Amino acid sequence: MSSTSTTRDVPWVPAAVVGIAAYVLEYLVTYLWQANDVREQLQGINAIIELLGGQAIPAWKAVGWLFYNAHFVAFTRPGLGGGRVSTNLIASGNAPQLLYVVPPLFLLVGGFLLARYVGLDDPTDGALAGTVVSLGYAIPAWFCVFAFRVTSDGAWIGPDLVTGIVLAGVVYPVVFGAIGGAVAGAIEG
């Protein structure tokens, strides 16, 4: 990719594949690492919910809340006096701080691999290519903001909509994909 390149030179399909793969692998790592702890923590809450006739919170959705927390996206729930209460389990010390490393790590590697795959030898071109990882990453990030919701009687618990879409779906993949791509371009250059 040179400064005279066109949109035809942008690695759209590989970038989308890398972005989707990064998202799925990040969630998978988070799930495999935290699902047992989440199930254990949900036991008491789910017992009360089921006693009151509600449906239990599935562990895969609660792990999704942690996954979004790792992007600094809180999950929200209805407050007792109305309104909504935001919670980040990692920030509050109820989950490992190391979870914050998972999204940036996979996105850095994704941006790096994409720039290497395309054969870029300039940090600027690598960074620009790395930002395109966001195209693939945004799709599941935006979809899962809704998929990780638990809804009952019109109330819901799940990732905050705005920060989930903006921070997890756009900012993280653009920034960390670009850094990974720039590093690949610098190494090749």
Side-chain angles (χ1 to χ4, degrees), residues 30-186:
T30 305
Y31 182 84
L32 292 173
W33 182 11
Q34 294 298 303
N36 288 333
D37 290 340
V38 167
R39 274 189 209 93
E40 193 174 292
Q41 291 175 4
L42 286 174
Q43 281 180 336
I45 295 168
N46 280 340
I48 294 168
I49 290 171
E50 289 173 341
L51 182 67
L52 297 173
Q55 286 191 319
I57 298 171
W60 69 271
K61 287 189 178 198
V63 169
W65 306 343
L66 274 179
F67 176 69
Y68 276 84
N69 286 173
H71 292 82
F72 289 97
V73 175
F75 70 89
T76 67
R77 60 181 168 74
L80 292 177
R84 301 207 51 88
V85 176
S86 296
T87 305
N88 183 322
L89 296 170
I90 301 170
S92 65
N94 294 314
Q97 298 284 315
L98 199 52
L99 283 168
Y100 284 130
V101 175
V102 174
L105 177 64
F106 278 84
L107 288 164
L108 285 166
V109 169
F112 181 88
L113 291 175
L114 179 64
R116 293 294 296 259
Y117 172 78
V118 177
L120 301 175
D121 59 2
D122 177 72
T124 302
D125 289 342
L128 290 172
T131 63
V132 185
V133 168
S134 64
L135 297 176
Y137 199 85
I139 295 165
W142 296 351
F143 173 78
C144 287
V145 163
F146 298 101
F148 292 143
R149 281 188 178 184
V150 174
T151 306
S152 177
D153 297 328
W156 61 272
I157 300 172
D160 179 71
L161 179 63
V162 174
T163 55
I165 289 173
V166 174
L167 201 53
V170 178
V171 174
Y172 260 72
V174 166
V175 170
F176 293 108
I179 294 169
V183 169

